[in-house]
Amino acid sequence: AQSVTQPDIHITVSEGASLELRCNYSYGATPYLFWYVQSPGQGLQLLLKYFSGDTLVQGIKGFEAEFKRSQSSFNLRKPSVHWSDAAEYFCAVGFNDMRFGAGTRLTVKP
Amino acid sequence: KAGVTQTPRYLIKTRGQQVTLSCSPISGHRSVSWYQQTPGQGLQFLFEYFSETQRNKGNFPGRFSGRQFSNSRSEMNVSTLELGDSALYLCASSTQDRDEGQYFGPGTRLLVL
């Protein structure tokens, strides 16, 4: 069965620092992988997706993610965090029946 | 293009009642999926409709049901509401082209008293 693990429930980084959010997945075949962001009281916004091809994927808002099949990971990165990046981030696997991780809440310190 | 819209945005019901939530997908999107988000269980897949047919179903009781109309708009219904049904219900739409991904609406926040 497909599943997603986000090991970090809460991460705090300083504005301008780099960010890496971890995601590990379990999937029987080549996975469809996604990162979404959710601001308080809002729906989910798609940051980026991976289906095949280049394992380094560029998304919106300066985010990127790297697919590593050998580690079953799809970690999200950003070189310099802005205060507006504070939100909850979800990794997901699947497609129209996506399974989500528990989410990582990002706090940005001034 | 207009995004996914969901109505109503907020709803308060009492135990035992039933509720119907509506979702209008992005124009041209024929697949609609529903998700429940709660603090305890996180985001959970409810079901997916494509061309008026339920294509996938999550692990929820039969009190949760849905349908899709010929214009791709979808409704979900919850009967005999329980306190634990209080949640944010999210709808997402997508095209047949899986490279596009799913796009979510703002959700309907349901409170059951």
Side-chain angles (χ1 to χ4, degrees), chain A residues 36-85:
Chain A
Y36 284 88
V37 61
Q38 186 178 37
S39 298
Q42 303 297 314
L44 295 163
Q45 183 181 21
L46 179 64
L47 285 175
L48 47 78
K49 55 189 182 291
Y50 172 79
F51 297 152
S52 63
D54 193 346
T55 57
L56 186 62
V57 181
Q58 301 297 321
I60 63 171
K61 303 187 179 189
F63 286 95
E64 66 177 27
E66 187 170 12
F67 170 66
K68 292 185 178 179
R69 185 186 297 277
S70 61
Q71 298 177 20
S72 296
S73 69
F74 188 56
N75 294 347
L76 181 72
R77 301 193 295 247
K78 187 169 184 178
S80 177
V81 169
H82 187 262
W83 64 266
S84 61
D85 294 325

Side-chain angles (χ1 to χ4, degrees), chain B residues 14-67:
Chain B
T14 57
R15 278 181 300 173
Q17 287 187 308
Q18 75 166 18
V19 67
T20 299
L21 312 181
S22 180
C23 171
S24 292
I26 292 171
S27 177
H29 286 194
R30 292 169 61 192
S31 170
V32 173
S33 300
W34 289 89
Y35 297 83
Q36 181 196 64
Q37 186 177 27
T38 60
Q41 299 298 317
L43 277 155
Q44 294 185 282
F45 170 72
L46 279 157
F47 29 64
E48 182 224 353
Y49 285 86
F50 179 81
S51 293
E52 302 177 65
T53 301
Q54 188 179 88
R55 193 158 65 171
N56 288 295
K57 188 177 189 307
N59 189 26
F60 277 80
R63 299 186 297 108
F64 292 82
S65 63
R67 59 177 175 168

Side-chain angles (χ1 to χ4, degrees), chain A residues 6-14 19-22 35-41 63 76 81 83-91 101-109, chain B residues 37 39:
Chain A
Q6 293 180 248
D8 305 306
I9 295 173
H10 185 206
I11 284 183
T12 300
V13 300
S14 298
L19 171 70
E20 182 168 25
L21 302 182
R22 296 183 291 163
W35 275 99
Y36 284 88
V37 61
Q38 186 178 37
S39 298
F63 286 95
L76 181 72
V81 169
W83 64 266
S84 61
D85 294 325
E88 185 130 25
Y89 291 80
F90 293 93
C91 182
T104 298
R105 184 161 61 93
L106 173 66
T107 298
V108 181
K109 290 191 303 185
Chain B
Q37 186 177 27

Side-chain angles (χ1 to χ4, degrees), chain A residues 27 32 34 36 38 40-46 49 51-52 88 90-91 94-102, chain B residues 9 31 33 35 37 43 45 48 55-56 58 88 90 94-95 97-106 109:
Chain A
Y27 198 77
Y32 292 89
F34 305 85
Y36 284 88
Q38 186 178 37
Q42 303 297 314
L44 295 163
Q45 183 181 21
L46 179 64
K49 55 189 182 291
F51 297 152
S52 63
E88 185 130 25
F90 293 93
C91 182
F95 192 68
N96 291 329
D97 58 346
M98 285 191 291
R99 270 43 175 179
F100 285 85
Chain B
R9 291 292 311 278
S31 170
S33 300
Y35 297 83
Q37 186 177 27
L43 277 155
F45 170 72
E48 182 224 353
R55 193 158 65 171
N56 288 295
L88 180 66
L90 293 163
S94 63
T95 68
D97 182 357
R98 292 193 163 201
D99 284 346
E100 286 295 309
Q102 278 197 321
Y103 294 86
F104 282 78
R109 187 164 295 280

